[in-house]
Amino acid sequence: MHDLTAQVTSSLLPFPEVVKDALGEDEINLDSVLHGKFTVGRSGLAWLACGPHLEVVHAVTGERLSAYCFSGGGDHPPCVHAARDFGWLKRSGLLVGLEEAEGSVLCLYDLGLSRVVKAVVIPGRITAIEPIVSYGGASTSTQHLHQSLRWFFGIAAVVTDLGHVLLVDLCLDDLSCSQSELESSDLQVVTKSPAEIPRLREVSTRQGRHLCLQLNGPSGVGATALQYISRTNQLAVGFSDGHLHLWNMKTLKKEYHSQLEGGRVPVHAFTFQEPENDPRNCCYLWAVQSSQDLDGDMVSLRLLQMAFSERKCLPSGKILYEGLEYCEERYSQELSGSAFPLRNQSTNTRLLSCQTIEKFRPHPDRDDSMNEVASPDTSVSIFSWQVKAYGQGTPSTYIGVFDINRWYHAQMPDSLRTGETLQNCPYLAVWSLDPVVQMASQHVLLDVLVHDRSLSRGLPFTCPPPEQYFNPTTYNFDATCLFNSGITLSFLKKAPPCSSEVISTSYARCLMSGLLSSRLADTQASSLSQEEQLDAILSTAVETSSLGLITGCIKQWTAEEQPGSALNLRYILDWAWNKVVGTKQELDGICAPLFDSSSNFTDPQTLQLLQHSQRMLSNLSTIFHCLLSEAQELTQKGLLGLMNKNLVSSLISKYAQVVLWFCRTGLLPEGSEDNALQISRPFYTHSIISNYYTIRREELTGLAKGKWCADCLMIDGLVGQCGERLTDLWKRDEGGTGQYPPPTLHVSMILFIVNILYYVHS
């Protein structure tokens, strides 16, 4: 666990002063607590609230995008307690839960207008909000909803501290009148009878009221968590006594209810996760129990398995599970002080965030006629939390990554097995965010967001890769941390070795993780010299595209003026160039059969070798580019040599990319013209193409009869515009005349490199 540490890639990006001033106005009021969250999805926003003040900022730059100060009818200003991003009719906004002196108000806040456009009075204090749909009417897009809900236009689920579970009609089909939180509409609770809904809705709209369906009435047990699961069409509701309810949105019936094994600890958050190709139609729901800032030390992850009778793909392309057969807890993990022992026994644990990232890889070989429903090839749930011991100044902050497919591979244990720890768990990896928090130690961490597009894993050049390599410890990803006064960006991956003292340890870690090449798969560090170990580590970084390891060392060595820095940089330069030379020789060996007519097709192994060589050359070119950009006090000869190495590695990489493209399109390998009839793929035959254009040129000459220029073929005009560089190149090989077509495809690919060199030197 200590090897997985975040690398800070930006200092604290502070919010504009106007944002900090607005949020700081109510800090003297003990009832006003600053809180904030990143928005769900790809909107790239974050919201912060303190008392009546709401601020919306850009999630990467911290730029202020929208702001509002809510007003109340009483002596005390209202307080923002909950918010959730919501889009409707090509507009973006937030659903805001506002607590006032005599109740709560659900507000629809328009980010573009920076004002409230809808407001509805809600009984009790709103604790969570979840949008269900942003549209309405009896259309195909609402067939998954109960008939009563299909008369609503825009639905938001709202839960309160009294135990209400409400489905509120937002009336988005009526935006004619301007409304503020001071002009809130009343709420009218109706039954589930579909026949009465149209009439009641028409009357309520005229009287300025909003309809709602009540799934759960006030019970005295507060609802604390809420999530709509679109793939199962269920609304998950968690309560302060540890109970969980699952409501079906098609039937509006409670399909499951039970108290979690964590006991009477509030359910704080949910996140849904789906495995790859489970034949039993199982999917999973994480329920997080946490006492948060209350007394006690409890953050517990509970994984519930839900089995359905059917899993199908809708015409819209969305996946839908139907017919819940059972729901049961299958795994649990404590994130409290017992799992992370500190010196002091008394600790406080607080959940920051939870999310799920899924990636669907296309399968071109899959038969569409089989109507297979796609499932995610990558499915990870990510949790972030803080543990603080009594008397500890700065809390310890962690990110946990749970790979459900690796959990399946480990035969689905219900908890960590005997002798298993979070340091060696094959399906749950824990990263430390302490470097980020320590950099902003004077600020409060509010939320953590992992960017789904950044989640990646560079595959080593072994086929098949070793099992350890698929563990979640090999993931790389970017995360953004939201503080009370700004934002930081960080990159999480395996901690790189930065000096010779840790070479042996780093080699051992790469060996244990299965990252090394097959040649070194069983070679212990004691059998190799330090230079050989370092070569293996650097090769692993290049082959897995973990270039931050090398470029980070380059930047560190150029920044620090230590005696050994110059030697280290020279070693990296020589090593990278030798790697380019070796890779170029391998590339020549791979490409030779493509041009000598010795083969008629490209096998998958050759394509894999070409792709590997191209990736290696591209990554090595990145290293030279970093050396060139960070270089200081180089002689003219040294600078010229470095520039040439950078250019050559880039050109060879481009050439490999072109060869790979020709192979994938079927133009390579070149074959002899004698075998042209036996080859089903597109085939480049110089003699046939040349004869065709010779006949066309002779026909034009005969038609011209000396009265006009017969040299008017479009292709000849294009070749003429390229100048003598092209014609001279096409005359060089046997059979070339300088006119189209070129004698071989190889000449055309060389022209690509010549053009790059021409523009570089120009």
Side-chain angles (χ1 to χ4, degrees):
M1 180 178 65
H2 301 292
D3 303 330
L4 304 177
T5 306
Q7 298 181 19
V8 182
T9 56
S10 78
S11 57
L12 183 70
L13 303 175
F15 297 133
E17 289 299 324
V18 64
V19 173
K20 292 189 283 187
D21 291 344
L23 296 174
E25 284 185 13
D26 289 292
E27 286 185 345
I28 56 174
N29 187 348
L30 296 179
D31 294 332
S32 298
V33 179
L34 174 63
H35 52 286
K37 286 286 181 183
F38 290 107
T39 56
V40 181
R42 296 179 177 176
S43 57
L45 305 177
W47 63 269
L48 301 99
C50 186
H53 293 278
L54 175 69
E55 297 284 335
V56 182
V57 298
H58 193 280
V60 176
T61 64
E63 176 188 3
R64 189 191 206 192
L65 301 178
S66 183
Y68 191 74
C69 181
F70 291 91
S71 302
D75 297 333
H76 299 286
C79 183
V80 176
H81 268 284
R84 182 68 159 79
D85 52 306
F86 182 68
W88 76 101
L89 302 177
K90 297 183 179 181
R91 299 161 73 175
S92 298
L94 294 173
L95 290 168
V96 180
L98 198 66
E99 183 183 16
E100 295 186 333
E102 299 180 356
S104 293
V105 178
L106 174 66
C107 300
L108 178 56
Y109 176 76
D110 191 314
L111 291 175
L113 301 177
S114 291
R115 66 178 179 85
V116 174
V117 294
K118 290 282 184 181
V120 187
V121 175
I122 302 293
R125 179 168 61 87
I126 297 175
T127 53
I129 307 168
E130 181 76 0
I132 306 298
V133 292
S134 60
Y135 43 83
S139 63
T140 56
S141 59
T142 59
Q143 286 182 350
H144 62 288
L145 299 177
H146 188 270
Q147 187 62 39
S148 299
L149 295 176
R150 299 181 70 187
W151 295 105
F152 292 5
F153 205 102
I155 303 171
V158 179
V159 295
T160 71
D161 62 339
L162 301 178
H164 293 96
V165 180
L166 307 174
L167 300 178
V168 181
D169 179 10
L170 296 176
C171 298
L172 297 180
D173 53 342
D174 180 20
L175 293 172
S176 57
C177 58
S178 176
Q179 191 177 25
S180 72
E181 65 275 20
L182 295 176
E183 304 163 338
S184 305
S185 301
D186 291 329
L187 196 67
Q188 181 177 348
V189 178
V190 296
T191 63
K192 303 171 187 177
S193 175
E196 296 294 323
I197 300 296
R199 182 185 61 81
L200 291 174
R201 191 173 190 271
E202 183 179 354
V203 173
S204 296
T205 302
R206 288 199 305 265
Q207 296 176 352
R209 297 195 303 269
H210 286 244
L211 298 185
C212 87
L213 291 177
Q214 182 172 273
L215 299 182
N216 197 74
S219 60
V221 178
T224 52
L226 182 65
Q227 179 165 327
Y228 174 61
I229 311 167
S230 59
R231 286 188 206 169
T232 64
N233 196 30
Q234 292 171 317
L235 186 68
V237 185
F239 292 86
S240 59
D241 61 354
H243 275 83
L244 165 68
H245 293 179
L246 292 177
W247 293 84
N248 187 301
M249 290 292 98
K250 180 70 173 179
T251 63
L252 292 184
K253 292 181 179 179
K254 190 190 302 180
E255 291 189 311
Y256 173 81
H257 67 278
S258 178
Q259 187 177 49
L260 298 174
E261 294 183 8
R264 299 181 63 83
V265 178
V267 180
H268 184 70
F270 296 108
T271 188
F272 175 81
Q273 193 169 13
E274 183 179 2
E276 180 182 12
N277 296 330
D278 189 320
R280 302 165 300 169
N281 297 330
C282 288
C283 54
Y284 294 83
L285 179 67
W286 286 98
V288 184
Q289 290 184 274
S290 173
S291 52
Q292 288 302 90
D293 297 321
L294 303 175
D295 292 336
D297 173 29
M298 177 71 175
V299 171
S300 177
L301 309 181
R302 305 282 170 180
L303 182 62
L304 288 87
Q305 182 185 60
M306 300 184 292
F308 292 82
S309 60
E310 187 177 6
R311 180 179 185 269
K312 61 183 181 181
C313 184
L314 301 178
S316 61
K318 295 182 179 180
I319 298 169
L320 181 64
Y321 287 86
E322 287 187 329
L324 180 66
E325 295 180 345
Y326 67 83
C327 178
E328 62 182 16
E329 291 189 39
R330 290 301 306 270
Y331 179 84
S332 64
Q333 177 63 54
E334 302 293 332
L335 301 181
S336 54
S338 58
F340 298 87
L342 300 172
R343 292 182 180 179
N344 301 287
Q345 295 298 319
S346 178
T347 61
N348 176 265
T349 310
R350 182 171 66 97
L351 182 77
L352 296 172
S353 66
C354 63
Q355 66 180 108
T356 296
I357 295 179
E358 296 177 335
K359 290 184 179 292
F360 292 81
R361 187 174 67 243
H363 295 275
D365 56 338
R366 180 171 288 171
D367 188 359
D368 293 337
S369 64
M370 297 178 65
N371 295 322
E372 294 184 43
V373 182
S375 61
D377 299 274
T378 300
S379 178
V380 296
S381 287
I382 301 173
F383 307 90
S384 60
W385 69 97
Q386 285 188 322
V387 180
K388 184 175 182 180
Y390 179 76
Q392 182 185 12
T394 303
S396 300
T397 308
Y398 303 97
I399 285 184
V401 178
F402 183 93
D403 190 325
I404 197 165
N405 293 327
R406 298 307 296 171
W407 179 67
Y408 266 62
H409 188 269
Q411 300 182 357
M412 306 169 69
D414 59 1
S415 61
L416 292 178
R417 293 191 172 103
T418 304
E420 199 172 53
T421 65
L422 291 175
Q423 285 88 338
N424 60 11
C425 181
Y427 51 85
L428 176 61
V430 178
W431 306 71
S432 172
L433 273 179
D434 285 349
V436 181
V437 177
Q438 289 169 3
M439 185 201 63
S441 58
Q442 303 301 318
H443 308 277
V444 179
L445 181 59
L446 302 175
D447 196 12
V448 178
L449 175 69
V450 174
H451 304 283
D452 55 352
R453 293 184 179 181
S454 70
L455 185 75
S456 64
R457 173 194 279 136
L459 289 178
F461 188 55
T462 57
C463 188
E467 284 296 333
Q468 300 93 328
Y469 186 75
F470 292 100
N471 293 350
T473 54
T474 59
Y475 281 119
N476 301 331
F477 52 90
D478 297 326
T480 303
C481 298
L482 178 66
F483 290 87
N484 61 337
S485 59
I487 288 173
T488 63
L489 308 178
S490 57
F491 178 61
L492 290 91
K493 66 180 183 64
K494 266 194 173 295
C498 297
S499 63
S500 59
E501 289 81 4
V502 294
I503 290 177
S504 297
T505 304
S506 300
Y507 178 88
R509 290 170 182 163
C510 290
L511 178 64
M512 183 181 64
S513 300
L515 295 171
L516 298 178
S517 65
S518 56
R519 180 177 60 86
L520 299 172
D522 299 320
T523 306
Q524 298 298 321
S526 57
S527 304
L528 300 174
S529 65
Q530 275 207 338
E531 186 173 344
E532 291 172 327
Q533 293 176 44
L534 182 56
D535 175 78
I537 295 169
L538 295 175
S539 298
T540 298
V542 173
E543 289 184 349
T544 60
S545 299
S546 299
L547 299 180
L549 186 151
I550 300 177
T551 57
C553 290
I554 292 172
K555 293 176 182 179
Q556 178 182 341
W557 289 331
T558 53
E560 64 182 16
E561 298 179 357
Q562 299 296 329
S565 296
L567 292 176
N568 291 335
L569 292 169
R570 167 56 64 178
Y571 179 87
I572 293 290
L573 175 61
D574 294 340
W575 176 87
W577 180 245
N578 291 334
K579 206 72 176 175
V580 169
V581 173
T583 307
K584 173 61 168 60
Q585 292 173 349
E586 294 176 2
L587 181 63
D588 291 342
I590 299 169
C591 291
L594 301 177
F595 300 104
D596 62 5
S597 303
S598 62
S599 63
N600 292 329
F601 68 95
T602 306
D603 58 274
Q605 185 179 4
T606 300
L607 288 175
Q608 187 180 17
L609 291 170
L610 277 172
Q611 188 173 0
H612 172 255
S613 297
Q614 192 275 327
R615 185 174 69 245
M616 287 282 292
L617 290 165
S618 176
N619 291 340
L620 290 168
S621 177
T622 301
I623 294 174
F624 286 115
H625 181 75
C626 181
L627 284 166
L628 191 60
S629 62
E630 298 292 330
Q632 299 175 4
E633 300 180 2
L634 286 178
T635 62
Q636 184 176 0
K637 181 180 178 181
L639 180 61
L640 181 61
L642 183 54
M643 292 175 63
N644 287 337
K645 287 180 171 63
N646 181 40
L647 177 61
V648 169
S649 61
S650 177
L651 288 176
I652 300 174
S653 173
K654 292 293 183 184
Y655 175 75
Q657 191 174 356
V658 173
V659 172
L660 191 61
W661 183 86
F662 271 73
C663 288
R664 286 173 172 168
T665 54
L667 293 173
L668 282 179
E670 286 191 292
S672 63
E673 297 184 3
D674 298 335
N675 298 328
L677 297 178
Q678 284 78 34
I679 302 176
S680 59
R681 63 178 172 81
F683 185 69
Y684 184 81
T685 51
H686 174 259
S687 60
I688 296 176
I689 301 174
S690 179
N691 288 337
Y692 173 84
Y693 281 99
T694 299
I695 293 172
R696 298 287 85 76
R697 293 185 182 104
E698 291 174 353
E699 290 176 350
L700 286 172
T701 302
L703 291 171
K705 297 179 180 180
K707 297 180 181 180
W708 42 275
C709 179
D711 186 16
C712 58
L713 280 179
M714 181 182 292
I715 188 64
D716 289 339
L718 294 173
V719 171
Q721 287 187 355
C722 294
E724 295 181 354
R725 289 184 299 110
L726 177 60
T727 56
D728 292 344
L729 189 63
W730 285 4
K731 289 179 182 178
R732 192 185 69 179
D733 286 4
E734 182 180 354
T737 62
Q739 290 184 309
Y740 184 84
T744 64
L745 287 176
H746 187 255
V747 175
S748 299
M749 284 183 276
I750 294 176
L751 175 66
F752 180 81
I753 304 299
V754 171
N755 281 334
I756 294 178
L757 282 171
Y758 174 77
Y759 287 114
V760 168
H761 290 295
S762 298

